[in-house]
Amino acid sequence: MDNNAGEQMSYWMETAPPGSLHPPLGTDVTVDVAVIGAGIAGLSAAWELARSGRSVAVLEADRIAAGVTGHTTAKLSALHTLIYDRLRRTRGSEGAKLYARSQTEAIQHAAAVADELGIDCDWEDTEAFTFAQEGARVDELRAEADAAREAGLPAEFVTETGLPFPVAGAVRVAEQAQFHPRKYLLALADDLRAQGALIHERTRVEGLKEGEPCRLTTEAGATVTAADVVVATHYPIFDRALLFTRLSPRRELVLAAPVPSGLAPRGMFITPEQGTRSLRTAPYQDGGRLLIVTGEHFTPGTGDAGERFERLADWATGHFGQLTFTHRWATQDNDSTDSVPLVGPLHAASRHTYVATGFGGWGLSGGIMAGRLLADLIDGREPPWSGLYDPRRVRTAVREAPAFLKHQAQVARHFIGDRLSSSSDVSLDRIAAGDGAVVRVDGRRCAVYRDEDGGVHAVSARCTHLGCLVAFNRTERAWECPCHGSRFGPDGEILQGPATRPLERRDI
Ligand code: FES
């Protein structure tokens, strides 16, 4: 396939079995714990809780393991680019050690679960590298290797990586892993159901009333009564603590191309240089390997993905030679202002509601860690790293201030500036087939998409989360909100939260 043509398809979505169908919730139910969101964090939490004897209901707005988890690069690594030197400075050596231990134990736990349940998920033990091609980054890499080693990881600074191009230096961490996330999670969900848990797909939760018990209401009108509630919707759909002020959405593009196994680098790679690139391979047809390249991150709603896919393809072929891309897809992450996920009680007064978010591109090890941590908290245990990840943490507030202010300034620019600007408006007849634009009709801003047959689809341009204006991503054919990353289809249907209501239809 051409790198900028055809439908997007995640390799993980294409190559996993279809999975069992889980019916939408049609009646009221009462359980010990309700888990909202069936990605890796939600399913991991649900599985741990079911194992400890709790009755559990998992409520997923779409299909299980089909959102961010089905579109990740699927690295199970405790080496998160350059986190340890930063943690050493912001959270002290003890904080860095707790981070390393919690992530490492998550990876080991996933290996043990896959083994115990006999899950065929293409598990491969491997190494993780953070590398740079610019000599100016070598000091940072040396500092990171030192900090990661001090944190307890088997880390070292190296100049040889096995990549088919030279690097100035790299941090290498042994004993990491990669797998097929959707195969793993579909099997985990089957086991979860075998333990008596309820799983309901196409069940969008719209309301949460906290109390003893808590009560959830779904779009279809059913209610779930639960002693405890876990919000694992990637970007939290309920947010009394205003976590959205501490989270920045980031979209990232992925391309994949088969390579002969002899040319496939062994390991998982990422660069901290501007325009981050991430690499790994996966088993492919006839004993070959699929090279998976990720990069070109951008804030959703700030432009089209097409040119960015082109740049990523150019980088890949420039470093690996001629490639024929077979898959391309995009994923979305949320960065927390201090680069540490937010996992724990949903807000300061929370007694029975919990959240997991802000994994910053490391949501697989992070999601498994979060699932175990939340199950521990609900079961009354406090692992030593619960304070590190606690969303109520305030100690780092001063250090977070620059990132916080930058994010809020961006949100304010989109919330207020986009309304005042007239430059984003175009006339209806200038919208080409397959494209979309924000158009002012009778004083109201409408998001208008013209389909390939010339039909016009119009919805409100105001995001149903908090009211920012959406923008069209032509290549991905989606309306995207730059404030907190909600995404909508051409007819306004929700593709990605935190919005829980579609864009309103408009007649024009
Ligand atoms: Fe928050 Fe759109 S996602 S305003």
Side-chain angles (χ1 to χ4, degrees):
M1 84 188 253
D2 184 280
N3 59 51
N4 199 21
E7 291 297 312
Q8 292 193 183
M9 175 54 79
S10 150
Y11 176 68
W12 316 121
M13 295 301 293
E14 185 190 65
T15 55
S20 313
L21 282 177
H22 305 283
L25 180 65
T27 56
D28 298 349
V29 295
T30 299
V31 288
D32 293 333
V33 186
V35 176
I36 312 170
I40 195 157
L43 285 173
S44 297
W47 190 81
E48 303 291 341
L49 287 159
R51 289 278 275 209
S52 69
R54 305 271 178 158
S55 61
V56 178
V58 179
L59 309 166
E60 166 57 46
D62 194 349
R63 299 292 313 276
I64 63 172
V68 173
T69 301
H71 294 78
T72 161
T73 44
K75 297 174 172 177
L76 282 169
S77 170
L79 177 65
H80 297 173
T81 318
L82 296 176
I83 185 84
Y84 291 100
D85 191 37
R86 177 176 180 165
L87 280 176
R88 188 163 61 171
R89 283 181 275 115
T90 58
R91 310 298 287 267
S93 294
E94 193 52 30
K97 278 183 189 154
L98 288 172
Y99 190 91
R101 202 176 127 207
S102 61
Q103 300 288 334
T104 299
E105 286 192 13
I107 298 166
Q108 292 167 346
H109 183 68
V113 170
D115 198 38
E116 180 192 329
L117 301 184
I119 303 175
D120 177 8
C121 58
D122 304 337
W123 187 281
E124 295 177 317
D125 294 325
T126 190
E127 303 164 334
F129 295 86
T130 299
F131 73 94
Q133 292 184 270
E134 299 166 9
R137 305 299 297 251
V138 164
D139 286 349
E140 280 174 84
L141 294 168
R142 286 190 187 281
E144 180 66 11
D146 181 57
R149 196 167 46 247
E150 187 185 308
L153 294 178
E156 60 179 339
F157 175 82
V158 295
T159 52
E160 292 295 328
T161 61
L163 287 167
F165 49 85
V167 303
V171 184
R172 172 185 172 275
V173 173
E175 299 166 24
Q176 309 301 295
Q178 57 188 17
F179 71 160
H180 191 307
R182 192 163 154 80
K183 286 183 181 174
Y184 175 84
L185 284 178
L186 292 179
L188 200 70
D190 284 346
D191 189 68
L192 186 55
R193 228 166 48 156
Q195 293 181 56
L198 305 173
I199 302 179
H200 294 288
E201 297 177 315
R202 312 250 190 252
T203 300
R204 185 175 297 283
V205 175
E206 287 191 334
L208 164 64
K209 190 159 179 280
E210 295 188 51
E212 293 182 346
C214 301
R215 191 151 286 132
L216 299 172
T217 49
T218 70
E219 189 180 33
T223 65
V224 179
T225 304
D228 294 285
V229 172
V230 170
V231 180
T233 52
H234 195 234
Y235 207 112
I237 58 168
F238 301 114
D239 191 8
R240 275 181 55 189
L242 307 184
L243 294 180
F244 66 80
T245 62
R246 297 161 67 189
L247 293 169
S248 302
R250 169 164 54 94
R251 201 147 181 81
E252 201 137 32
L253 306 181
V254 189
L255 285 170
V259 289
S261 56
L263 294 180
R266 182 181 153 66
M268 305 176 291
F269 305 85
I270 193 162
T271 167
E273 289 157 319
Q274 211 170 20
T276 298
R277 299 288 184 250
S278 164
L279 301 163
R280 63 159 285 188
T281 65
Y284 198 57
Q285 300 161 0
D286 304 324
R289 304 285 296 180
L290 190 73
L291 177 69
I292 299 171
V293 185
T294 307
E296 290 296 323
H297 59 79
F298 63 101
T299 302
T302 58
D304 186 66
E307 276 186 25
R308 291 165 167 135
F309 270 119
E310 295 285 354
R311 278 199 296 272
L312 189 60
D314 287 346
W315 185 89
T317 52
H319 286 74
F320 285 87
Q322 194 54 43
L323 297 168
T324 302
F325 296 103
T326 52
H327 301 77
R328 68 173 176 135
W329 67 94
T331 186
Q332 195 154 315
D333 296 310
N334 296 314
D335 296 324
S336 72
T337 42
D338 67 355
S339 305
V340 176
L342 301 152
V343 184
L346 185 57
H347 54 81
S350 182
R351 295 185 60 201
H352 296 288
T353 48
Y354 302 84
V355 69
T357 188
F359 296 110
W362 301 101
L364 289 182
S365 59
I368 295 163
M369 179 283 298
R372 301 180 75 209
L373 171 52
L374 294 182
D376 278 344
L377 294 176
I378 289 169
D379 277 341
R381 296 184 297 274
E382 287 215 4
W385 42 81
S386 55
L388 176 71
Y389 294 107
D390 193 328
R392 302 167 299 183
R393 60 186 179 257
V394 292
R395 284 181 306 168
T396 57
V398 173
R399 291 193 183 95
E400 286 182 52
F404 173 85
L405 292 173
K406 184 173 166 214
H407 176 51
Q408 292 320 305
Q410 281 171 349
V411 171
R413 183 162 52 80
H414 289 300
F415 191 80
I416 300 168
D418 288 357
R419 280 176 167 67
L420 300 177
S421 162
S422 60
S423 60
S424 64
D425 288 325
V426 298
S427 70
L428 197 57
D429 53 9
R430 294 193 64 184
I431 300 173
D435 207 351
V438 173
V439 175
R440 197 185 291 270
V441 179
D442 297 334
R444 293 196 299 183
R445 288 218 161 115
C446 296
V448 178
Y449 168 69
R450 189 183 297 280
D451 63 32
E452 302 297 344
D453 299 323
V456 166
H457 306 240
V459 291
S460 165
R462 184 179 290 215
C463 175
T464 55
H465 178 229
L466 292 176
C468 290
L469 292 184
V470 297
F472 199 63
N473 178 340
R474 183 179 200 275
T475 300
E476 297 195 74
R477 217 169 51 172
W479 295 106
E480 298 178 338
C481 179
C483 288
H484 314 107
S486 290
R487 303 179 73 247
F488 306 87
D491 288 313
E493 67 275 20
I494 300 170
L495 302 177
Q496 183 132 15
T500 57
R501 285 174 293 120
L503 298 175
E504 284 173 30
R505 294 287 183 106
R506 291 273 188 264
D507 291 324
I508 61 170

